[in-house]
Amino acid sequence: MATGSGAAEQDRMTRASLSRGNGTARELNICAREAGVSRLAAAFSQLPESIGDMEENNETIDPRCLQQPPLAGDILKELDVFGVSLYAILTIMTSLSMLVFIDGAIYIYRKVQYPKKTAIIWINGAAPVISTMSCLGMWIPRATMFTEMTSGSYFSIVVYQFLLLLIAECGGDEAFLQRFGKSRLKISTGPCCCCCLCLPTVPITWRTLFLLKLTSFQFALMKPVLTIVSIVLWSNENFNQSHAGTKKAVFWISLFLGALTILALWPVVMMFMHLCHTLTSQNIIPKYAMYQLVLLCSQLQTVIINLLARNDVIGCAPPYSSQARGSLMNQQLLILEMFIITMVTRGLYRRTYKPLIPAEVLDSDSMEKTKLTVKSEHGGV
């Protein structure tokens, strides 16, 4: 009997513990369910907001804004009366710019002696060539990369030719050295060393003149070479102007070209600062101003607009994406700006200027003035 009662008591205790365990398990399940429900409720409370945002984004973004630039035929279909008028006016401006350049090139080829006429023809062609490339890019948006590269390659040669023009206006290398051989050249000028006022001046020698030409010539050589490299990489899908990043080829090529550009502009600025007073009679200051305007409009303006388009500051307007619309705005501005520069440049270069007085004449005149001064001081003896 004692044994039976002990077994019954043990069974009762086991059932009590199991009931307590089952109760604890039920409580844990209930807590887990409540926690899961609360998490689900929080997730569902955020879900409608995200869906609403997605719907809003889908309503504001046109699928055509994410596509490639349109074809020329698509542009003609989208143009209204104002668009047709605008495109026609800009195309006429481009044609007039090229006709004015051809007329001026024929005049300069007949009237101006070599090597000055070569430099002048190259410089006069900067604005019409950039205008023509911009017009082609405006009509054929998918060719924008090639038209911009062509304009940049041409202008790299213009930078070098303007340096040659400054020397040619003085009569050539020998006449330049004979006139300025005893003076010194200031190198603390822009765009490289405008803040380095402590830099010393350098003597003007054959070696100095060669280094100035070489520093400017490297840009005229490397820009077309890097353009060809960029086209080869583009054909292999390794070069895309819309892809920005330190691991992309377009970033390093653009960075290298920027350094070469600054380095090539430096000798031109040094030479201009040294000759601006001597060549005042040749209207060198307005000529240099037109050259600088072409530089700012074709290079700096393009970079700024492309940056704004990449950051979606310039909005999408189907069938143009943000970047394609930015390129279109830049091309239309360039056509107008280059047309004005072409007309002003024609008035500056299509005229004959009196040549500079040779250095020998200046030396003889200075010697005669010195003799007269000495005679007057000694009473005419």
Side-chain angles (χ1 to χ4, degrees):
M1 294 293 294
T3 304
S5 62
E9 183 68 24
Q10 187 175 1
D11 290 340
R12 194 181 304 110
M13 293 175 62
T14 302
R15 289 171 184 170
S17 62
L18 288 174
S19 63
R20 285 196 300 269
N22 290 335
T24 305
R26 291 192 197 96
E27 292 176 357
L28 290 175
N29 289 333
I30 292 171
C31 292
R33 291 193 193 98
E34 291 178 353
V37 170
S38 62
R39 285 196 297 268
L40 288 174
F44 278 113
S45 65
Q46 296 176 358
L47 188 60
E49 183 178 357
S50 61
I51 292 176
D53 293 340
M54 292 173 61
E55 291 179 352
E56 183 179 356
N57 291 333
N58 288 333
E59 290 177 359
T60 56
I61 296 178
D62 194 297
R64 292 179 295 176
C65 293
L66 305 176
Q67 296 177 356
Q68 291 184 350
L71 298 172
D74 297 333
I75 295 176
L76 293 175
K77 295 176 183 178
E78 294 285 340
L79 287 178
D80 53 5
V81 177
F82 175 77
V84 171
S85 303
L86 179 62
Y87 273 55
I89 293 172
L90 293 176
T91 305
I92 292 172
M93 283 184 176
T94 303
S95 303
L96 289 176
S97 298
M98 187 56 65
L99 290 175
V100 169
F101 164 66
I102 294 173
D103 177 65
I106 295 173
Y107 174 83
I108 292 168
Y109 184 81
R110 291 177 178 176
K111 299 293 183 180
V112 182
Q113 295 181 351
Y114 180 84
K116 187 192 295 186
K117 64 181 178 183
T118 304
I120 292 177
I121 290 174
W122 273 101
I123 295 169
N124 278 345
V129 168
I130 294 173
S131 179
T132 302
M133 292 298 104
S134 299
C135 186
L136 290 176
M138 180 183 69
W139 282 104
I140 310 174
R142 295 194 181 185
T144 297
M145 184 184 74
F146 303 101
T147 57
E148 289 181 354
M149 288 181 175
T150 304
S151 300
S153 299
Y154 187 94
F155 188 76
S156 66
I157 302 174
V158 171
V159 173
Y160 176 65
Q161 291 295 331
F162 197 86
L163 177 64
L164 297 183
L165 176 64
L166 292 173
I167 299 172
E169 292 286 6
C170 298
D173 293 350
E174 295 183 0
F176 174 80
L177 291 173
Q178 188 175 4
R179 183 184 293 269
F180 300 104
K182 297 179 181 180
S183 59
R184 300 179 69 85
L185 185 66
K186 182 181 178 182
I187 63 175
S188 58
T189 59
C192 285
C193 302
C194 55
C195 299
C196 304
L197 301 178
C198 58
L199 290 176
T201 57
V202 297
I204 298 178
T205 59
W206 280 103
R207 182 173 178 274
T208 304
L209 195 59
F210 172 75
L211 289 176
L212 291 174
K213 290 182 179 180
L214 182 63
T215 306
S216 186
F217 177 75
Q218 52 82 24
F219 184 49
L221 175 65
M222 292 303 299
K223 174 63 177 178
V225 170
L226 290 176
T227 297
I228 296 173
V229 172
S230 300
I231 294 174
V232 172
L233 292 175
W234 173 84
S235 65
N236 197 43
E237 298 183 355
N238 297 121
F239 186 91
N240 192 338
Q241 290 181 332
S242 61
H243 294 167
T246 56
K247 295 183 179 180
K248 303 296 182 180
V250 63
F251 173 80
W252 293 106
I253 292 177
S254 301
L255 185 64
F256 186 54
L257 278 176
L260 294 181
T261 304
I262 294 174
L263 195 62
L265 295 174
W266 189 25
V268 180
V269 177
M270 282 191 287
M271 191 65 69
F272 172 75
M273 296 298 292
H274 191 77
L275 298 177
C276 60
H277 298 294
T278 305
L279 300 179
T280 303
S281 60
Q282 309 297 313
N283 265 348
I284 197 62
I285 295 177
K287 292 176 182 177
Y288 183 76
M290 292 298 104
Y291 155 80
Q292 287 288 323
L293 277 178
V294 174
L295 170 66
L296 293 175
C297 294
S298 64
Q299 305 297 319
L300 185 60
Q301 173 181 289
T302 302
V303 171
I304 292 174
I305 292 180
N306 286 338
L307 287 175
L308 293 176
R310 285 180 186 176
N311 295 321
D312 294 330
V313 177
I314 299 175
C316 166
Y320 292 96
S321 63
S322 297
Q323 191 164 358
R325 188 173 176 228
S327 299
L328 176 64
M329 293 172 59
N330 181 54
Q331 290 156 357
Q332 293 174 346
L333 284 173
L334 280 176
I335 292 173
L336 178 60
E337 293 161 353
M338 295 302 118
F339 176 76
I340 297 173
I341 292 174
T342 300
M343 297 305 167
V344 176
T345 304
R346 179 184 182 275
L348 291 173
Y349 288 97
R350 192 184 167 89
R351 64 172 65 180
T352 55
Y353 296 99
K354 293 182 180 180
L356 292 179
I357 301 174
E360 300 88 351
V361 177
L362 289 176
D363 293 338
S364 61
D365 289 344
S366 61
M367 291 178 63
E368 290 180 0
K369 290 181 180 179
T370 304
K371 291 179 181 180
L372 291 174
T373 303
V374 172
K375 288 182 180 180
S376 61
E377 289 178 353
H378 289 279
V381 179

